[in-house]
Structures are given as structure tokens and as C-alpha cells.
Amino acid sequence: MTSPLKAYKRANGAWGLRNQVLILPMHSALSSTARAIADGSDGAVAISHDWSGEKDNDLARIIFTLSGYASNPNIFATIFLSIGNPEEEQIIKGAQALGLTRFTNLLLPEIGSMEKLQQEAITLANGYVKEAGAQERVDAPWSAIVLGLECGGSDALSGITANPALGVASDRLVELGASSVLGETTEILGAEHLLAARAIDPAVGKKIVEMVARYEDSINYEGIDIRGAQPSRGNIEGGLSTLEEKSLGAAKKAGNAPFTGTLEFGEIPKVAGLYFMDTPGHDIEQLAGFGAGHINVVVFTSGRGTPTGSAIMPTIKVSTNTPMYESIPDLIDLDAGTIADGIETLAQVGDRIFDEIVQVANGKLTKAERGGHHEFALSRMYKTVVK
Amino acid sequence: MTISIKGFDHGNRGAGIRNHQLILPTVVCSTHVSRRIATEVGAVTFAHQHGCGIIGDDVAGIDNFFVSLADHPNVASVLAVGLGCETIQSQELAAKLLSRNKSTQYRIIQESGGVEGTVAAGVKAAHELSEAFPSAPAAVVKLRVGLDFGREVSSAAALQQLLKDEGCDVVVAHSEASSAETFSKLSQENVHVIISFPSDSQPASGFPLIPVINVAGSGVLHMAIRGDFDIDESTLLTGIVELLTTVAAGSETVAEKSKSGEIRAPRVVRSA
């Protein structure tokens, strides 16, 4: 099947499905300024976060996350808002090493105040937005798609309707030469042996099992059993009984293709294929990991419904049940509840998801994009409380 | 002489120096909807990344943190906005808040017709709260002042004495790096106002519910962005009482004007 994709080609060979101008605050005190810049511009986007330059145990993870995010191929240009700390230089250098070519670093101390910073950044952002608008999409191969697989607010139908239907779409894309990345380590806990059995070689399988064990250890060091907190309250109300049951359903998003490899949080896949990335179950932290890992489109299945999206990655929502789809129409792009009602087959819904991914890749806006949902959260491995 | 302030009667939360309506997102997923509601009705809100994917002691910790924000004396009324499936359940949080204060409502995205439905319902609820619970004027008998020391301040002892002589309660906290979690801790101590001395490598920052007076040091960064600060450390002792009095009376600090500052709750466990 010839690729119908048209995308933005980046200097390092990566493909952008969007051409965003990102305002990236390097300090939490500049988050509100970043939002004001985006709101005051002709279409730039911003993220907010709560990192204030703390040099704690999560520093390397935070620098890596922001470098990766700032250089995502869906970005035309990034405007960094800096205080002048050395870690900010590290973030920018990291982003350049990962392919970012067009950026400006605005230094608050050089500009003099947040108010002046805001004015200067809006002018700059509008210039970039204009340039980005003039760039044309060109014919792109199937490998241009790097799909992220996510679920949130799962219910008893997740593993029967939306997740396996997404698996059909993922398998088709991987077969054609695209990449697909399953995240959320929390949500494969108990199903890791099934995924490991699909690894292209025993080393990859071993790595999947090790990543899950490592995750469980990182929780257990606090004396907590993750099974006491998962499934979440909403999952249980939605009909899920155990974490393992949730995991068996969640893993179906990755279809039946073999696993090419594993990725650390925010790591970029080097060759096309199906991957597992070690990310937390927290939907927004996990989306930040996908963004840092240069994923350029996400499909997000949900049983309960969620408005969240991303500043840089189009996020397609798929409902597991029709009543939810009908009750919150402005959140969900596609309904997979038709499978449970016997109206459509798994394959038919899988094909619909596939078609939607292609259309969104070519520029169709998702509901989260139209609603301006740009949630963001940094993932931390350690406590923030200093004792 | 003592500082005397005309504030707002906020019932059992005490008298406040601000009359904020708080749109409280109980989970990161509802922060965008909360901001839309707050913008429309002129309320305060904030972005945060908490409320779900939390385990162990953080569940009760974050829940209590949200309760303390809603309980703050500068808050007139609270609209809690939840998603519905998160760990911290907004209806339970709202029930807790309601048992303490009647000026509370909640809306849930998954039960209010999605984003547009929740924004419309939230705006209506916020107006209802303002109408049902107008704040009467009340004297702030004892101004509670939080001092956030992120650097060595030679006049620290003299400042504390000065504030005590003016009849203020003084709560002292020391920032390890940034002021983000220190502000959260001071808010749990119900301070009306914060005087912050960020470290020489940190910018001025704010906190949505509490006016923060940022004091500039003599370092390169603070001098370069002097406009983001309210007062210099070198003139602190001669100017702070007057500044504090005008801020307490309603004059906005620089950080309040720019709405700078995110809220970060203390976390004791990693995300799950």
C-alpha cells in the first residue's frame, strides 16, 4: 500500500506531522508567562511545569525530558524562556543533539522583566508561526508515523473493544514500516510475560521483564504494594477487578506484532518497529515521555473519558463504550463501543482507527487539539520532599 | 503602632486580605477546564500535575493539601473541578470541604457533558457561589506573615522583630532551592501574605492564593530583573511596613499582576 502521507521533513531525516512553535519555560515561575505568550500569539503553543531548577535526584531525567520534548519533529521552532542557569544550556544543547535546528533562547536577565519577556517572545513567536505556515508538507513514507499507544480511565470493555481495535491499527502500521510504542509500565504489570514472548529475540524479551521488575522495585522501596493502588477507583467502578486484569486489556493496544525493542522513558526509537517504553501510568507524565521520545501522533483509548491532549502531539481519543462517547461528545474522536454492541467487528473498528491516524497525520485536527488541551507534567522517580 | 487591615470575613476560615474564588482542579486532567472557568468569572486557579497516579502516603497528603488550599483565609468560595476517574475523587473532597464550609461546590467532567458542558456548568456554579456567599468586611486583627528565606539575609532578625512589634504573627520557612514547596508549606500555615527572599540564582515567583512580596538581593540576576521584585533588601527595613500595609489592603504585588507561580504539592513517593 503506497503511503498517502504528507508531512514536514526535518533536517535530521525525522518527520513532523505538525509544525508547532513551542514556548518552553525553563523555570516554573515562567510557566504563566509561557501561557500568556502562547495566548497572545497567532498560534504558538506552550507547556507549563513545576520544575524550578532544583538539582535533586531527578535532575538528569528532567533535563533529558525537556531536551527531547523541545526537539520533537512535530515542532517547527522552539522558544526557550531562560533564567540563565547552566542546566538550561544543557537542555538546549541536548535538544540540538536530538535534531532541533530552529530555536531562540530568550534570557530573562538580558531582557529585564517577565513583562518585557512576554512582549518580545510574542513578536518572535509570530514570526516563527508565519514561517511555519509557509512550509509545505511533502510526500512522506509510512515510516514517518511514530505512533504512541496510551489508555486512561480504563473500564471492563477496554480489553475487549478499543484496545484490541487499536492493536489492529498498530499491527497494520508496523507491517507497513511505521513505528508504534506501547507505554505505561504500570499497566503491563502482570502481562509482561505475554509481551516478552513476542520479542524479536530473547534479549529484548528479558529487557521487558526486567523493566517491569525494576518498576515494581522502585515502588516497593517505599514499602508500598502497587496492587493496593491499582486498579484506580475509576477503573474499579468501570468493572475492572485487579491490576492483572487491567494489564491484560491494556497490553492489547500493541496488537500481535513482534517487539523490536525497549525504550527508556523519553528514548527515541532508532529503527522502525514496535517498542515498549518504560513510562508511568499517570497519563500526562506518560504523554510527556512520548513527546520526549519523538512520538508524533498518539491514540488514547478511554472507558471513562478524558479531555487531555498535548501541545505538540495530536492525540486521538477512542471510547471503549458508546454511552460514554455520547455523553461527552467533545472529548472523543472515535467510538469502539460498537464492537460490544455487535454493530461493527474488531477489524472494522481497527480500520477506522487506522484511517483516522492517517487523516490526523495529514493535518486533520483532533478534538483535543481543537479544544486547546496542552496538559504537561514532568515525571519524577524520587520524592520532592527534602527531609 | 500596629498594622490594621480591613479585610474580608471568611467565616470559620478567618478574615482574609483577599477575596478569592478558587477554581480548584482536583487532578491535572481538569486544569485546562478550570482555567477556562476561572478566566470567564475572574477567579483564581492554578496548573498542577497531581491528583492521579499517586500512591502510598501521597494520596492522603495531596488530598489534605487541596483541603488546606480551600481552607485558606484568603479564599471566599471554592469550586472543585474533577475528571471523575482519578485517585482523588472530587465529590469526596467537596464533601470534606462542604462539612467545613458551605461556600463550596463541585463539578465533574465525566458527568457534566464533557469540556463545554463542564465549563458552562462551572461558570454557573461559580456565579451562584459568589451570589450566595458575599463576603462582609472584617478587620484582620492579626496579620499572619510568612517569611521565605532562600538566601542569607542580614536583616532577618531585625525584620522579624519589626513585624512582631507591628502586631503580626510571623511564620519562618527556609527554601532549599526554589520557593515552590516553601510557598505550599506556608499556605498550609494559613499565612495571609508572604515576604520571599529567593536565592541569588532564583527569579521572583508567586502563589495563586497569597500575595507574595519578592525582595531583591544584590546579585546579578536579581538586579537584572529588578522589575519583577517589589522591594530591595537594602531598603527593606525602612519600606516594608508601608508596603505590607498597602498589599494587605488590596494593592497587587508584581507577582500577583503577572499571575506568576505554579503550585507544587510536596510528594513523598514517585508517580505510579
Side-chain angles (χ1 to χ4, degrees), chain A residues 27 54 233 285 305 378 384, chain B residues 49 92 110 178 181 202 271:
Chain A
H27 190 288
E54 291 89 354
R233 300 272 300 275
E285 291 182 21
L378 288 167
T384 63
Chain B
Q49 60 177 70
E92 289 174 15
Q110 287 169 350
S178 78
E181 288 193 8
Q202 288 283 333
S271 299

Side-chain angles (χ1 to χ4, degrees), chain A residues 97-303:
Chain A
L98 296 172
L100 181 68
T101 53
R102 211 179 282 102
F103 69 93
T104 303
N105 183 23
L106 293 178
L107 276 152
L108 177 66
E110 281 177 9
I111 292 169
S113 73
M114 294 199 200
E115 203 182 338
K116 286 185 206 156
L117 177 70
Q118 191 175 318
Q119 294 314 319
E120 195 158 318
I122 288 173
T123 308
L124 184 64
N126 285 345
Y128 278 143
V129 168
K130 205 173 166 192
E131 275 183 68
Q135 192 182 1
E136 286 192 3
R137 288 173 181 264
V138 296
D139 289 335
W142 283 108
S143 61
I145 288 182
V146 186
L147 172 69
L149 309 168
E150 165 155 15
C151 58
S154 297
D155 69 358
L157 285 175
S158 296
I160 299 166
T161 59
N163 288 353
L166 174 54
V168 168
S170 172
D171 280 347
R172 278 188 64 189
L173 283 166
V174 171
E175 178 73 30
L176 289 163
S179 291
S180 181
V181 182
L182 176 70
E184 301 179 304
T185 312
T186 329
E187 297 173 11
I188 69 155
L189 224 159
E192 66 269 26
H193 58 293
L194 298 174
L195 300 185
R198 284 165 46 197
I200 53 161
D201 62 44
V204 170
K206 189 160 167 266
K207 193 76 213 257
I208 292 174
V209 172
E210 277 172 9
M211 273 182 161
V212 173
R214 183 180 71 180
Y215 169 81
E216 234 185 326
D217 285 347
S218 77
I219 301 287
N220 287 346
Y221 88 108
E222 294 287 353
I224 298 160
D225 183 356
I226 180 70
R227 289 173 178 80
Q230 282 275 8
S232 74
R233 300 272 300 275
N235 297 147
I236 293 166
E237 281 166 22
L240 288 170
S241 60
T242 62
L243 177 62
E244 286 77 3
E245 186 186 4
K246 181 175 171 179
S247 292
L248 290 170
K252 292 198 173 168
K253 297 194 296 293
N256 295 304
F259 276 90
T260 302
T262 59
L263 300 167
E264 295 293 339
F265 181 87
E267 188 182 346
I268 301 161
K270 288 181 185 65
V271 295
L274 175 66
Y275 290 84
F276 170 69
M277 185 189 282
D278 180 21
T279 66
H282 185 297
D283 293 334
I284 316 301
E285 291 182 21
Q286 118 83 23
L287 271 179
F290 275 179
H294 289 191
I295 281 163
N296 53 19
V297 56
V298 175
V299 177
F300 189 149
T301 66
S302 184

